[in-house]
Amino acid sequence: MKRRVPKPRDLAPLMQFKKPQFDAKKRRLDAALTIEDLRTIAKRRTPKAAFDYTDGSAEAELSIERARQAFSDIEFHPAILRDVSKVDTSCTVLGGRSELPFGIAPTGFTRMMQTEGEYAGARAAGRAGIPFSLSTMGTASIEDVRDANPHGRNWFQLYMWKDRERSMALVDRAAEAGYDTLLVTVDVPVAGARLRDKRNGMSIPPALTTKTVLNAIPRPQWWIDFLTTEPLAFASLDRWSGTVAELLDTMFDPTVTFDDLAWIKSQWPGKLVVKGVQTVDDARAVTALGADGIVLSNHGGRQLDRAPIPFHLLPEVAREVGADTEVMLDTGIMSGADIVASVALGARFTLVGRAYLYGLMAGGEAGVDRMIEILGEQIARTMRLLGVASLDELTPAHVTQLERLVPRARPR
């Protein structure tokens, strides 16, 4: 091969230098291409106790590990030669439009992860045209979240407390504030054993101990934000001084039954969704009670470890009750492909919790925007590669769930 000295005109097209980005937040968020990338940034920027509260689950953390593995253990079946120059990622859920087939799940103690908290999530959801859910354990009031997302869809999540009057006072406030959907969480008779929180001495508010101060040294911005903004307060209760587990165990009511669910439904004027369904029989029972929707969820693995995998339950539940109620799903979702697979197997809609909080911890409101952008891009790209132009075209034929954990026959 004959060699020569390159000429300047040959080198010129190769010399492409990016314009420097001096905004550090934008630079790190632009570099995040996946939800896992946002998680890595969040871990670097957030004190251990707050990060572990988000990232962790119950006991050995098998439930969340299995839920994520279930999404990895799928095979897509693309169709070829379809016109996918334009794809429609929107859907109708609970009587309203969502521009994407996911909404932001209810999360507790959110301003502890990052001081913008629910305000950031609600505003980002409103811009994206997706629902935002406020938790009973949220750190912004029902009315303030409404004001942050005045034209979007706001949903309220209810834990039924031992103090029933106080619980229903929250429901009344949500109705008066224009929330269109009530999510009743039914998988928390008591708090799960969240061992990371116990080992970290997780308390509300975070305590300034020698351990937390040392952990804060490489994360000064979090502490500056935490100490120079309004103290943590809750959407639904007075300030609390104690551990998370102590707070939850004083509030949750282990006596709640289907009769209580029917009573709540009779008093709520909007759509009612039951969150935390984990068996086909319970899906049938809740549907018979008249719920407008159910969420297949094991609480992100934060309650019963070794709980059923919602994604595995989805096809059978969708077949059994999908014609009578809207079947939704959460737990384990870390990519747009996970969401597309869920819709293909019968989910009307999905909810993302940890993905939202990773974005929030990585960059506040801009981080939540980036989370939504990442998932939206992945959904659209997966749809194009599958050869579908709208969510309605997705069917079970597009997905195979590969077997890893195969149950043995149950003893009779």
Side-chain angles (χ1 to χ4, degrees):
M1 181 179 289
K2 194 172 182 180
R3 297 184 183 275
R4 63 183 180 83
V5 176
K7 298 177 182 179
R9 67 171 179 271
D10 297 328
L11 295 175
L14 305 178
M15 309 290 276
Q16 297 182 16
F17 298 101
K18 289 184 178 180
K19 184 179 179 180
Q21 175 55 256
F22 297 105
D23 183 331
K25 179 192 288 188
K26 190 172 190 318
R27 187 168 62 244
R28 68 173 178 267
L29 291 177
D30 287 347
L33 304 181
T34 65
I35 301 303
E36 187 61 42
D37 289 344
L38 290 176
R39 179 186 177 276
T40 299
I41 298 168
K43 186 174 184 179
R44 189 169 65 239
R45 298 184 58 80
T46 311
K48 180 175 174 58
F51 178 82
D52 278 356
Y53 176 77
T54 296
D55 196 58
S57 55
E59 301 190 40
E61 305 193 356
L62 295 174
S63 288
I64 186 61
E65 178 185 328
R66 290 175 180 177
R68 287 179 175 166
Q69 186 64 56
F71 283 115
S72 296
D73 292 344
I74 64 169
E75 182 177 84
F76 281 124
H77 306 292
I80 61 170
L81 300 176
R82 307 296 198 274
D83 181 358
V84 289
S85 55
K86 295 179 181 179
V87 295
D88 182 4
T89 62
S90 69
C91 65
T92 299
V93 59
L94 299 168
R97 181 181 173 89
S98 178
E99 297 301 325
L100 293 161
F102 69 90
I104 292 180
T107 61
F109 313 120
T110 313
R111 285 187 55 235
M112 184 177 61
M113 314 333 168
Q114 204 273 351
T115 51
E116 296 173 60
E118 287 89 356
Y119 304 108
R123 286 191 289 259
R127 276 192 299 275
I130 64 174
F132 176 82
S133 308
L134 174 65
S135 170
T136 298
M137 308 303 295
T139 45
S141 75
I142 290 167
E143 294 76 17
D144 285 349
V145 166
R146 184 263 326 271
D147 293 343
N149 185 25
H151 306 298
R153 297 186 67 188
N154 294 312
W155 297 355
F156 184 69
Q157 176 269 334
L158 177 71
Y159 288 120
M160 181 54 75
W161 296 352
K162 295 171 184 175
D163 185 341
R164 300 301 171 88
E165 288 187 11
R166 204 171 181 189
S167 296
M168 296 316 293
L170 294 174
V171 171
D172 291 341
R173 281 173 59 191
E176 290 172 8
Y179 286 58
D180 64 73
T181 296
L182 183 68
L183 302 171
V184 182
T185 297
V186 294
D187 58 355
V188 188
V190 296
R194 302 174 192 176
L195 303 186
R196 287 204 221 183
D197 296 344
K198 291 183 179 180
R199 290 174 179 135
N200 289 331
M202 175 71 169
S203 63
I204 304 295
L208 286 171
T209 64
T210 302
K211 184 177 179 180
T212 56
V213 169
L214 288 173
N215 187 248
I217 290 172
R219 302 169 178 86
Q221 189 61 53
W222 187 95
W223 283 100
I224 291 169
D225 289 342
F226 180 77
L227 296 172
T228 58
T229 55
E230 284 294 314
L232 277 185
F234 297 92
S236 52
L237 69 154
D238 298 329
R239 288 187 177 88
W240 174 265
S241 180
T243 67
V244 173
E246 289 168 348
L247 172 60
L248 301 184
D249 281 334
T250 62
M251 293 181 61
F252 298 149
D253 186 354
T255 71
V256 174
T257 68
F258 281 93
D259 290 339
D260 295 290
L261 192 60
W263 177 68
I264 295 168
K265 185 180 186 319
S266 70
Q267 300 187 58
W268 172 252
K271 300 290 188 179
L272 184 132
V273 174
V274 180
K275 184 176 183 293
V277 175
Q278 299 178 65
T279 69
V280 177
D281 286 345
D282 280 345
R284 291 192 194 101
V286 168
T287 301
L289 188 142
D292 298 291
I294 62 174
V295 181
L296 299 176
S297 169
N298 64 29
H299 215 100
R302 297 163 73 79
Q303 285 298 106
L304 176 67
D305 204 14
R306 301 176 177 84
I309 299 166
F311 185 59
H312 283 175
L313 280 172
L314 175 61
E316 185 177 1
V317 169
R319 285 194 300 269
E320 288 289 320
V321 303
D324 302 309
T325 192
E326 297 189 22
V327 179
M328 293 170 260
L329 179 136
D330 77 9
T331 302
I333 292 171
M334 289 286 284
S335 78
D338 299 343
I339 294 170
V340 171
S342 299
V343 174
L345 291 181
R348 175 69 63 87
F349 201 64
T350 61
L351 295 171
V352 297
R354 283 186 178 89
Y356 151 55
L357 293 177
Y358 293 147
L360 180 68
M361 290 185 286
E365 189 171 333
V368 183
D369 286 334
R370 182 63 182 142
M371 177 278 297
I372 295 171
E373 183 180 32
I374 288 170
L375 290 180
E377 289 173 351
Q378 291 173 338
I379 289 167
R381 181 170 57 251
T382 303
M383 290 171 63
R384 283 190 165 96
L385 292 173
L386 281 173
V388 300
S390 70
L391 296 172
D392 291 339
E393 295 178 25
L394 289 166
T395 73
H398 287 106
V399 180
T400 296
Q401 292 180 318
L402 304 176
E403 292 185 345
R404 182 182 297 262
L405 299 175
V406 181
R408 297 180 64 184
R410 291 183 183 180
R412 295 186 180 275

